[in-house]
Amino acid sequence: MTSKRLCFEPGHKPKCLVIVDDTAEWDRAVYYASRWAIRAGGGVVMLRIIEPEQQSQEWLGVAEIMRAEAQEAAEAALDRAAGRANGIAAITPERVIREGDAMEQLLAVIDEDPDIAMLVLAANPGAEGPGPLVSLLAHELGTFPVPVTIISGALSDGSVDSLS
């Protein structure tokens, strides 16, 4: 792990990392991060993680087709999220697609970019719980390498505006 964040050193700028997944609340995280980027003079990094499918040799051709489809879906999701960020803050976010275990890939992206100043997530406001990534991170927060901001998925744009 990178021991020192460089986000506020000369020649660097702070960035928010946002996970763009298939949950309904990803928009809240993108909205908050984009507003934060305006105020902090920073940027936004959008990460889409593709979890690999288990595959056997006899299904290798099918697995390659599935991987290509997952890549296309990831690009489309990042296109939507980048369009949203641009509409909010007139910024062009960095886009990263990784394949593998979600926590491993998340930590690797943070480690590789010393300008990432925080991770922004949004929590599902429903009774089913905050969402898989927020739940997963809850066990790691004490050792996480950057601050984590969790935005309620129930907040309106106006509410987020007043907080960011």
Side-chain angles (χ1 to χ4, degrees):
M1 276 286 155
T2 301
S3 59
K4 183 178 179 187
R5 302 276 97 201
L6 301 176
C7 47
F8 292 103
E9 298 291 325
H12 295 267
K13 73 175 185 176
K15 301 175 190 174
C16 273
L17 176 61
V18 178
I19 309 298
V20 178
D21 58 15
D22 293 326
T23 63
E25 58 273 4
W26 67 263
D27 177 75
R28 300 294 76 208
V30 168
Y31 193 91
Y32 180 88
S34 300
R35 296 278 305 164
W36 176 89
I38 293 170
R39 295 198 192 259
V44 176
V45 178
M46 296 183 172
L47 172 62
R48 176 72 175 209
I49 300 171
I50 300 170
E51 301 224 14
E53 300 290 326
Q54 297 294 336
Q55 47 190 298
S56 64
Q57 286 292 12
E58 61 218 33
W59 295 103
L60 204 50
V62 173
E64 288 303 316
I65 292 169
M66 290 174 65
R67 177 177 280 133
E69 289 173 350
Q71 184 74 25
E72 286 178 29
E75 291 286 351
L78 289 175
D79 286 345
R80 284 189 304 277
R84 179 76 164 128
N86 187 274
I88 296 162
I91 60 172
T92 302
E94 295 176 39
R95 301 158 47 121
V96 179
I97 298 174
R98 300 294 282 265
E99 185 175 340
D101 175 74
M103 186 59 73
E104 287 176 16
Q105 296 307 315
L106 176 58
L107 291 170
V109 168
I110 293 169
D111 188 47
E112 293 164 10
D113 189 342
D115 290 342
I116 293 175
M118 86 169 99
L119 171 63
V120 177
L121 301 172
N124 179 356
E128 59 275 1
L133 196 52
V134 173
S135 297
L136 179 64
L137 272 171
H139 299 288
E140 305 292 329
L141 287 177
T143 60
F144 211 70
V146 296
V148 178
T149 300
I150 301 174
I151 303 301
S152 168
L155 292 176
S156 68
D157 288 356
S159 295
V160 174
D161 288 345
S162 68
L163 295 169
S164 53

